[in-house]
Amino acid sequence: MSGGSARSLGKGSAPPGQVPEGLIRVYSMRFCPFAKRTLLVLKAKGIGHEVININLKNKPEWFFKKNPFGLVPVLENSQGQVIYESAITCEYLDEAYPGKKLLPDDPYEKACQKMVFELFSKVPPLLLSFLRRQNKEDCSGLKEELHKEFSKLEEVLTNKKTTFFGGSSLSMIDYLIWPWFEWLVALELNEYVNHTPNLKLWMEAMMKDPAVSSLFIDPKAFRGFLDLYLQNNLEACDYGL
Amino acid sequence: VTDDATRTLGKGSAPPGPVPEGLIRLYSMRFCPYAHRTRLVLQAKGIRHEVININLRNKPEWYFTKHPFGKIPVLENSKCQLIYESVIACEYLDDAYPGRKLYPCDSYERARQKMLLDLFYKILGYQNTVFFGGDCISMIDYLFWPWFERLDVYGIADCVNHTPALRLWIAAMKQDPTVCALLIDKNIFLGFLNLYFQNNPDAFDYGLSC
């Protein structure tokens, strides 16, 4: 896979050419949890792809032609079709490519995965707020809110009596929520799942997954990135390269 | 008279029994646009169903066993499986029932529809100010308004609190002198629509006195 650890493209960069046949391209950023979802699915399904990293603090003008919202991830195929919004990209890949299906065929089980996804939706903005405020202000309120959200997820696992959110094997919903829990591991904040034992076990099981472990975020690089990113530093996205 | 024209169930009401085989049940409310989505899909696919309307200001205690926060719409089938969130419910119906598929078969076209829906939510969510352009009314508000004025005729403001920002925007727009001056009378508009859908050429002059 080319480009996963390549320098990002920023303002003034030349737009990339057409996507070669047989490959799909993902516009990404090494530390973006939303893009991580798409990379995990690409890896898990063994889909041939190329990665172009975007400097999210200094976006190339041509990137807005790919996604008017200027966000990653974005998929582009050799027919010039563009898909954005991370959950939509993941579902598209599962439907368009052969091999192991990550979403269940059963309509009710599929609906359950989407309901869990909704249940998870408060975690990303909460975690980001938490990371912005750490060491600066009192974030005990945020901590409590995070605990509340984690407890909701714990309840799902407790009721299902399975290791993973979709059943006894790893499936789409696990990959969709994983990137934020990966942050907890990288920042050594595992204590946040101390009161949610099933969630803790789930995290340990996820770390053993080949796609997860091969794409695991580098903790040092992540910390370096986070510091620069929160300061709006243009070099953040390429930290460690 | 639509099949959901029944009185709501509120606090103190007896919980409904299990869903009979061969039917799917929808917990709904007649004026809710989110539940309306699900009713549209049920209708479009010819799915046999029953509707239980919920009094959203006086929810039955038993309803919280169907949805943790008592929201609608919720689908319940004869296997006691519960599905909620309007978009998830609609997709479930499309997947689970035979006949005409509402989502396209092509994976890219499916993705396109989902991106469009996301855009719709972004438009609703783009407001962090009273008006879409800021604290004062501006072009974008006027560009959106005609569609919302027409929707308002059907009373979405009466519905669930899903979109408080939008309701606030509608109320604020109605106070704008320009919007006020051109506001279509609800009865005249309904009269027009009635004739229009009958392809009656007099529709266009409905409400004019001469």
Side-chain angles (χ1 to χ4, degrees):
Chain A
M1 158 209 3
S2 74
S5 36
R7 290 196 75 81
S8 60
L9 298 184
K11 233 180 223 140
S13 61
Q18 235 192 333
V19 180
E21 268 228 45
L23 278 190
I24 191 161
R25 174 184 294 160
V26 55
Y27 297 94
S28 182
M29 195 278 283
R30 291 151 63 221
F31 306 101
C32 173
F34 297 94
K36 196 51 159 303
R37 289 170 160 167
T38 318
L39 293 173
L40 282 166
V41 172
L42 285 163
K43 182 64 97 159
K45 289 182 69 88
I47 297 169
H49 63 284
E50 62 174 31
V51 180
I52 291 187
N53 289 317
I54 300 296
N55 187 338
L56 298 179
K57 291 294 187 192
N58 192 27
K59 295 172 190 177
E61 306 82 351
W62 54 258
F63 186 59
F64 291 90
K65 295 212 181 77
K66 307 294 182 187
N67 180 359
F69 297 108
L71 301 173
V72 296
V74 179
L75 285 174
E76 185 177 359
N77 62 22
S78 50
Q79 297 153 265
Q81 291 173 331
V82 165
I83 300 109
Y84 49 81
E85 291 308 314
S86 59
I88 300 176
T89 64
C90 292
E91 194 160 356
Y92 167 80
L93 291 172
D94 203 40
E95 289 168 8
Y97 287 83
K100 176 186 179 196
K101 285 295 168 211
L102 295 174
L103 273 170
D105 280 324
D106 178 72
Y108 175 64
E109 290 303 325
K110 185 171 153 203
C112 283
Q113 293 216 1
K114 296 192 173 195
M115 288 188 275
V116 174
F117 184 72
E118 286 304 314
L119 213 59
F120 169 77
S121 61
K122 293 207 172 103
V123 173
L126 261 180
L127 203 49
L128 189 59
S129 296
F130 179 74
L131 291 178
R132 277 186 204 277
R133 288 189 211 182
Q134 250 198 330
N135 307 324
K136 283 191 195 149
E137 323 164 4
D138 167 46
C139 39
S140 53
L142 276 176
K143 247 173 156 177
E144 241 183 80
E145 280 188 69
L146 258 178
H147 277 176
K148 204 174 99 183
E149 296 308 312
F150 286 174
S151 299
K152 288 184 191 167
L153 296 171
E154 178 74 5
E155 209 183 317
V156 174
L157 289 175
T158 309
N159 291 341
K160 273 187 90 73
K161 301 186 173 60
T162 55
T163 309
F164 299 100
F165 282 94
S168 51
S169 24
L170 207 159
S171 63
M172 183 65 87
I173 182 62
D174 303 289
Y175 284 131
L176 291 177
I177 72 176
W178 172 249
W180 287 267
F181 290 94
E182 185 178 71
W183 278 15
L184 290 184
V185 178
L187 298 170
E188 292 172 3
L189 295 174
N190 301 56
E191 84 222 29
Y192 281 86
V193 290
N194 276 352
H195 73 303
T196 47
N198 289 322
L199 200 54
K200 194 173 192 167
L201 285 171
W202 170 79
M203 283 177 69
E204 288 164 18
M206 288 298 283
M207 296 280 282
K208 295 190 191 133
D209 176 70
V212 166
S213 50
S214 69
L215 293 174
F216 194 75
I217 207 168
D218 177 272
K220 255 170 83 185
F222 180 55
R223 276 175 211 268
F225 154 78
L226 204 55
D227 278 334
L228 292 182
Y229 191 78
L230 295 176
Q231 296 164 38
N232 285 319
N233 189 312
L234 296 187
E235 304 296 316
C237 298
D238 290 329
Y239 186 88
L241 292 180
Chain B
V1 170
T2 55
D3 62 357
D4 74 333
T6 54
R7 295 192 72 81
T8 58
L9 297 184
K11 237 183 217 129
S13 61
V19 180
E21 266 223 49
L23 272 193
I24 191 162
R25 176 184 294 159
L26 175 69
Y27 297 97
S28 180
M29 195 278 281
R30 292 182 295 136
F31 306 103
C32 172
Y34 294 89
H36 193 174
R37 287 171 161 170
T38 319
R39 289 191 293 116
L40 284 166
V41 173
L42 286 163
Q43 181 84 15
K45 289 182 69 87
I47 297 169
R48 290 192 60 231
H49 62 284
E50 61 176 30
V51 178
I52 292 184
N53 289 317
I54 300 297
N55 188 330
L56 297 176
R57 291 249 180 270
N58 192 27
K59 296 174 189 175
E61 303 84 345
W62 55 259
Y63 190 61
F64 293 90
T65 65
K66 309 295 181 187
H67 188 290
F69 302 117
K71 290 188 184 175
I72 56 154
V74 174
L75 286 172
E76 185 175 5
N77 62 21
S78 49
K79 291 187 240 177
C80 301
Q81 291 171 336
L82 295 161
I83 299 108
Y84 49 78
E85 292 302 323
S86 60
V87 178
I88 299 175
C90 291
E91 186 163 0
Y92 166 81
L93 292 172
D94 206 36
D95 290 338
Y97 288 82
R100 172 186 172 199
K101 284 295 169 207
L102 294 176
Y103 268 130
C105 296
D106 178 71
S107 21
Y108 172 67
E109 290 303 323
R110 287 174 74 95
R112 249 199 93 238
Q113 293 213 358
K114 293 176 184 200
M115 287 188 274
L116 274 175
L117 181 68
D118 188 78
L119 198 66
F120 172 76
Y121 284 121
K122 281 192 164 78
I123 288 172
L124 290 190
Y126 243 77
Q127 293 172 282
N128 40 23
T129 49
V130 175
F131 298 102
F132 281 101
D135 292 320
C136 301
I137 203 171
S138 63
M139 180 64 84
I140 186 63
D141 302 290
Y142 289 130
L143 295 177
F144 281 153
W145 178 249
W147 283 267
F148 287 95
E149 183 176 316
R150 281 151 182 76
L151 289 182
D152 190 50
V153 168
Y154 297 103
I156 59 164
D158 291 336
C159 194
V160 284
N161 217 9
H162 285 280
T163 50
L166 192 62
R167 279 173 33 202
L168 196 70
W169 176 75
I170 290 173
M173 288 299 280
K174 285 197 206 168
Q175 285 172 12
D176 177 66
T178 305
V179 166
C180 271
L182 300 178
L183 213 60
I184 305 174
D185 176 274
K186 176 175 174 169
N187 291 318
I188 293 180
F189 181 61
L190 287 174
F192 154 75
L193 268 188
N194 195 28
L195 292 180
Y196 182 76
F197 288 128
Q198 293 166 38
N199 283 319
N200 187 324
D202 291 335
F204 306 101
D205 292 326
Y206 185 83
L208 294 176
S209 48
C210 51

